[in-house]
Amino acid sequence: MLIMRAAYASKFDDDNPLAALAVGERPEPVLPADDWVRVRVRASSLNHHDLWSLRGVGLAADRLPMILGCDAAGVDADGNDVVVYPVVADPADPRGMSILSEHYQGTLAEQVAVPRANLVPKPAGLSFADASCLPTAWLTAWRMLTTKGRIAEAESVLVQGAGGGVASAAVAIATAMGKRVYATSRDAGKRERITELGATALASGARLPERVDIVIETVGEATFDHSLKSAAPGARVVVSGATAGFQPKVNLRRVFAMQLEILGTSMGTPQELAELLAFCEEHGVRPMIDSVHPFESVRDAFARLHSGDVFGKVVVEF
């Protein structure tokens, strides 16, 4: 049996997810069907999804050990530089799909197996580290702004909690599109970083200079009332996360009187990922990378993400 280096969940620990992280040797991936291929991973980026998996959220005990990681860029068997689209059709899942590291082994390994249709060509202008940041957080932000938020019809955008991966991606993308972007954060240092991206940074809950056409909402309960109050007539409030509570109080009178749209979304399509890659290359947009770690220091990468003191993506390179 051929083996490879990998970072994986060996157990669950809700109080200390880092204690459930194992680093060691795992079998090379098996191809479950004829249309699946192996990719040699050059770079992978971490997501909070990985920490939730270590806590046992969205991952069943009977699937352990599970290699973690949703995002990767690497080289396919034919020598092509590719970005891995991390969503796999899964009839057994209520969503009809699953993300790598939920039912199928993830990307924090020397190799990952995916359907051939999940390979998107990597533009030459993007490094493996940059490209590895895009398939989950950046793809979600892209879909929130374009497909769901209809940004072509918008002039102004509010991004709540702009230190997180999806939120900081939304700031960078919307700014590159020439929109007026407002972004909130409780952290003064993160507000300074947001300003460097070209957005107007505000403290959480602060009154905006104008009501906006799109609100990017990943925080949830702590910011949702502010999101509704900041929305212009006919605005789209697009939700892809709820890191600070998932049961906000919603003023329905404001929703119908202002004719607001509240839209949920998650991830995106392979075509949207290809569009995002082309946009980043054409406009010189690059993901904010908080830190880059060799695989030998993958535990440090997880500790960095778990600290909560990150701005942008944490990358692991092979």
Side-chain angles (χ1 to χ4, degrees):
M1 179 186 297
L2 297 176
I3 57 175
M4 62 180 181
R5 296 175 298 161
Y8 56 97
S10 60
K11 59 181 180 178
F12 301 135
D13 192 322
D14 189 35
D15 295 327
N16 181 17
L18 299 183
L21 175 65
V23 181
E25 295 180 339
R26 297 294 303 150
E28 286 189 352
V30 174
L31 303 181
D34 291 342
D35 63 337
W36 283 58
V37 296
R38 294 184 184 90
V39 173
R40 186 163 295 280
V41 177
R42 293 287 301 275
S44 180
S45 68
L46 303 188
N47 294 281
H48 282 281
H49 183 278
D50 301 312
L51 294 177
W52 287 114
S53 295
L54 292 168
R55 291 185 171 103
V57 178
L59 180 60
D62 60 4
R63 299 197 195 111
L64 297 178
M66 175 61 76
I67 296 173
L68 300 168
C70 312
D71 292 340
V75 181
D76 70 10
D78 298 321
N80 301 306
D81 293 349
V82 296
V83 182
V84 175
Y85 173 68
V87 179
V88 180
D90 192 340
D93 192 287
R95 300 166 295 176
M97 49 71 75
S98 64
I99 300 170
L100 292 177
S101 76
E102 292 178 345
H103 290 186
Y104 297 100
Q105 299 292 326
T107 61
L108 280 166
E110 291 179 292
Q111 293 187 62
V112 63
V114 293
R116 186 179 297 277
N118 285 48
L119 301 186
V120 179
K122 182 185 77 66
L126 291 178
S127 69
F128 285 105
D130 287 338
S132 76
C133 297
L134 302 179
T136 296
W138 276 68
L139 177 58
T140 298
W142 177 263
R143 181 176 174 84
M144 292 176 82
L145 288 166
T146 58
T147 306
K148 293 290 186 175
R150 307 193 301 276
I151 196 167
E153 305 169 16
E155 296 297 331
S156 54
V157 179
L158 167 63
V159 180
Q160 298 281 24
V166 174
S168 56
V171 170
I173 294 167
T175 301
M177 289 178 170
K179 307 302 179 180
R180 295 189 301 278
V181 182
Y182 305 95
T184 66
S185 176
R186 294 175 298 175
D187 185 282
K190 290 181 179 179
R191 290 199 296 272
E192 185 175 337
R193 296 286 300 275
I194 291 165
T195 302
E196 293 171 1
L197 294 175
T200 299
L202 301 163
S204 298
R207 185 182 181 92
L208 272 60
E210 61 176 319
R211 288 177 171 167
V212 298
D213 303 312
I214 302 172
V215 181
I216 298 299
E217 177 60 81
T218 62
V219 179
E221 200 167 318
T223 57
F224 205 77
D225 186 59
H226 181 253
S227 292
L228 295 181
K229 289 178 178 177
S230 302
R236 282 77 68 194
V237 180
V238 190
V239 184
S240 72
T243 56
F246 59 89
Q247 291 183 314
K249 291 183 178 180
V250 177
N251 184 339
L252 292 177
R253 289 178 296 184
R254 183 177 295 276
V255 173
F256 65 73
M258 299 289 283
Q259 301 191 56
L260 304 180
E261 298 178 46
I262 300 175
L263 304 163
T265 192
S266 179
M267 302 297 292
T269 66
Q271 178 60 35
E272 287 168 331
L273 178 56
E275 292 169 358
L276 169 61
L277 290 165
F279 177 87
C280 289
E281 184 174 47
E282 178 183 351
H283 294 272
V285 176
R286 298 295 181 269
M288 291 71 69
I289 293 180
D290 175 87
S291 52
V292 179
H293 305 258
F295 181 78
E296 292 74 16
S297 302
V298 67
R299 289 187 183 277
D300 294 336
F302 271 85
R304 176 68 181 163
L305 180 65
H306 187 245
S307 74
D309 189 33
V310 299
F311 190 92
K313 300 290 289 181
V314 177
V315 174
V316 175
E317 288 187 328
F318 287 87

